[in-house]
């Protein structure tokens, strides 16, 4: 019976401390198989299971903790322990990759909805100060065209620049009828020197503008010789000419193309009828033209009904499949479209 007592004690210890038995069993097996190389790894193994009494606690593992393998070990059989690495000592390329892993950026859809571009121009700016300020508060991609003669124009233009709007000079030009476009109007009955002097005055009144469009001008824009005179000025200053198209006889775009001046005509007047329903209908017409032609340009004025309609329309614009762009960009898109059409007609 005495010979069985050691085995009975061993069974009791196995039941109480099975992990210890497994550890020592594995250790003995490693010594038998690995010999001296296994012995070389014992200090590292002892450090794992028997830390020194004065050892510092391991750093807390958080979502921002990364780990690395030891650079070298004394034996290829020694255990490889993952060591925590402080985030502050990581190189920038590794920190960037780690940040991406911890907080991935939102997944971007492979296909984005294509938004059809529309340019909105508000001209006659500067005369009505309150409504002009409301127009300046519209999205920055709305283009604003300022009359050169109102005393308030300069200050309003500075406000518009701060809000990021593209700026035009709304140059007064001779109409067919008896309407009065204002002082320093360009007029076919005047000599070239006087018209150039008036144009210089108009342009000097507005700061940092990108182009012009005509205020009135149904008579002037139909006169090719008069237009050729001002196109030279626009070309020299790298300005574009948005044709308000106040006359079906306009020669603006053809004269501009001959002078190497960027130009296109507006597609829609939003508020010829100053009623909310009529303005909303014109915005729908603008959308229809944009869908058909790939881009559209609409002109409105700083009036309460027009601005109310635009505030509503801009709020739902992307949901309707459209994007606002500055008018210079719209002019370039129109020119590219026309060039493609002309090239296609030439091939046939």
């Amino acid at each position: 019976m005495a010979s069985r007592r050691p085995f009975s004690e061993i069974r009791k210890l196995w039941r109480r401390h099975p992990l210890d038995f497994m550890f020592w069993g594995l250790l003995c097996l490693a010594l038998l198989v690995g010999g001296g190389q296994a012995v070389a790894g014992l200090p590292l193994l002892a450090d794992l299971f028997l830390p020194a009494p004065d050892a510092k606690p391991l750093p807390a593992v958080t979502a921002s903790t990364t780990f690395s393998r030891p650079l070298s070990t004394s034996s290829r059989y020694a255990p490889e322990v993952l060591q925590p690495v402080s985030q502050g000592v990581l190189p920038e390329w590794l920190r960037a990759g780690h940040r991406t892993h911890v907080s991935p950026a939102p997944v971007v859809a492979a296909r984005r909805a294509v938004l059809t571009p529309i340019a909105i121009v508000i001209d006659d700016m500067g005369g009505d100060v309150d409504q002009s300020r409301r127009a300046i508060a519209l999205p920055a991609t709305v283009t604003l065209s300022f009359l050169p003669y109102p005393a308030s124009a300069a200050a309003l233009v500075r406000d518009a620049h701060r809000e990021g709007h593209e700026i035009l000079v709304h140059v007064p030009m001779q109409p067919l009828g008896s309407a009065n476009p204002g002082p320093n109007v360009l007029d076919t009955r005047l000599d070239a020197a006087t018209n150039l002097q008036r144009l210089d005055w108009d342009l000097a009144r507005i700061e940092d503008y990108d182009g012009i469009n005509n205020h009135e001008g149904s008579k002037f824009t139909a006169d090719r010789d008069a237009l050729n005179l001002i196109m030279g000025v626009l070309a020299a200053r790298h300005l574009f000419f948005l044709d308000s198209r106040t006359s079906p006889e306009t020669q603006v775009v053809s004269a501009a193309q001959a002078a190497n001046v960027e130009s296109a005509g507006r597609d829609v007047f939003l508020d010829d009828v100053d009623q909310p329903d009529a303005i909303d209908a014109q915005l729908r017409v603008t959308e229809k033209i944009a869908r058909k032609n790939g881009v559209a340009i609409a002109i409105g004025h700083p009036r309460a009904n027009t601005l109310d309609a635009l505030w509503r329309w801009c709020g739902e614009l992307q949901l309707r499949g459209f994007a606002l762009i500055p008018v210079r960009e719209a002019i370039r898109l129109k020119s590219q479209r026309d060039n493609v059409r002309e090239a296609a007609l030439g091939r046939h």
Side-chain angles (χ1 to χ4, degrees):
M1 296 294 293
S3 61
R4 294 181 180 179
R5 185 176 181 83
F7 294 103
S8 176
E9 294 297 325
I10 290 172
R11 283 197 297 271
K12 290 179 181 178
L13 289 173
W14 167 257
R15 293 191 189 100
R16 293 175 183 174
H17 307 286
L19 294 179
D20 292 345
F21 269 86
M22 291 175 64
F23 168 75
W24 290 110
L26 289 173
L27 178 61
C28 292
L29 181 62
L31 290 172
L32 289 173
V33 175
Q37 290 179 326
V39 173
L42 286 177
L44 290 173
L45 191 63
D47 287 342
L48 284 176
F49 288 91
L50 300 171
D54 58 347
K56 296 181 180 179
L58 291 174
V61 177
T62 67
S64 62
T65 304
T66 56
F67 296 88
S68 68
R69 295 182 182 277
L71 295 179
S72 62
T73 57
S74 56
S75 166
R76 64 189 178 94
Y77 292 99
E80 290 186 305
V81 183
L82 293 177
Q83 306 292 333
V85 178
S86 171
Q87 189 177 11
V89 299
L90 291 176
E92 178 56 32
W93 64 268
L94 185 55
R95 288 203 302 274
H98 177 58
R99 285 194 298 269
T100 302
H101 176 72
V102 174
S103 302
V107 177
V108 178
R111 292 184 178 180
R112 293 181 179 270
V114 177
L115 301 178
T116 303
I118 291 175
I120 300 292
V121 179
I122 304 297
D123 64 20
D124 285 0
M125 289 285 292
D128 186 325
V129 174
D130 291 338
Q131 297 300 337
S132 292
R133 292 196 184 282
R134 285 192 66 204
I136 290 171
L138 286 168
T141 39
V142 173
T143 298
L144 304 178
S145 184
F146 285 83
L147 292 164
Y149 47 79
S152 56
L156 290 169
V157 167
R158 287 193 290 271
D159 292 343
H161 277 306
R162 278 195 295 270
E163 296 302 319
H165 292 279
E166 180 182 58
I167 304 298
L168 306 186
V169 183
H170 199 31
V171 177
M173 299 184 189
Q174 177 191 6
L176 276 171
S178 58
N180 180 13
N184 285 295
V185 59
L186 305 186
D187 195 311
T188 59
R189 295 165 294 189
L190 299 174
D191 59 78
T194 303
N195 273 327
L196 289 176
Q197 184 180 17
R198 289 188 174 195
L199 179 60
D200 285 341
W201 186 90
D202 292 332
L203 299 180
R205 297 278 294 176
I206 305 298
E207 295 180 1
D208 197 15
Y209 47 87
D210 297 291
I212 73 168
N213 73 318
N214 52 293
H215 175 49
E216 299 288 350
S218 52
K219 173 68 173 176
F220 192 89
T221 58
D223 190 308
R224 185 60 177 260
D225 292 335
L227 287 173
N228 289 341
L229 179 69
I230 70 165
M231 290 300 174
V233 175
L234 301 183
R237 301 191 186 196
H238 305 288
L239 302 174
F240 63 84
F241 193 146
L242 169 64
D243 184 4
S244 301
R245 291 187 62 215
T246 54
S247 166
E249 306 300 325
T250 178
Q251 299 290 311
V252 168
V253 174
S254 60
Q257 289 175 344
N260 243 358
V261 172
E262 291 182 304
S263 182
R266 61 92 194 154
D267 296 294
V268 178
F269 271 131
L270 295 177
D271 48 12
D272 275 346
V273 179
D274 189 12
Q275 296 294 331
D277 290 345
I279 296 166
D280 287 339
Q282 289 298 89
L283 285 168
R284 302 298 173 256
V285 171
T286 305
E287 293 177 2
K288 184 177 180 179
I289 293 172
R291 288 193 186 99
K292 178 182 178 182
N293 297 332
V295 62
I297 299 173
I299 292 179
H301 301 90
R303 302 170 184 164
N305 287 332
T306 305
L307 298 178
D308 289 344
L310 284 172
W311 274 113
R312 293 190 300 270
W313 184 73
C314 288
E316 61 185 22
L317 189 63
Q318 289 192 3
L319 295 177
R320 298 176 67 84
F322 299 95
L324 272 175
I325 61 173
V327 77
R328 175 166 237 157
E329 187 176 343
I331 288 172
R332 288 174 177 170
L333 290 174
K334 277 195 162 196
S335 298
Q336 291 169 7
R337 179 200 65 194
D338 292 344
N339 290 339
V340 169
R341 286 178 178 174
E342 290 176 6
L345 289 173
R347 286 194 296 269
H348 295 288

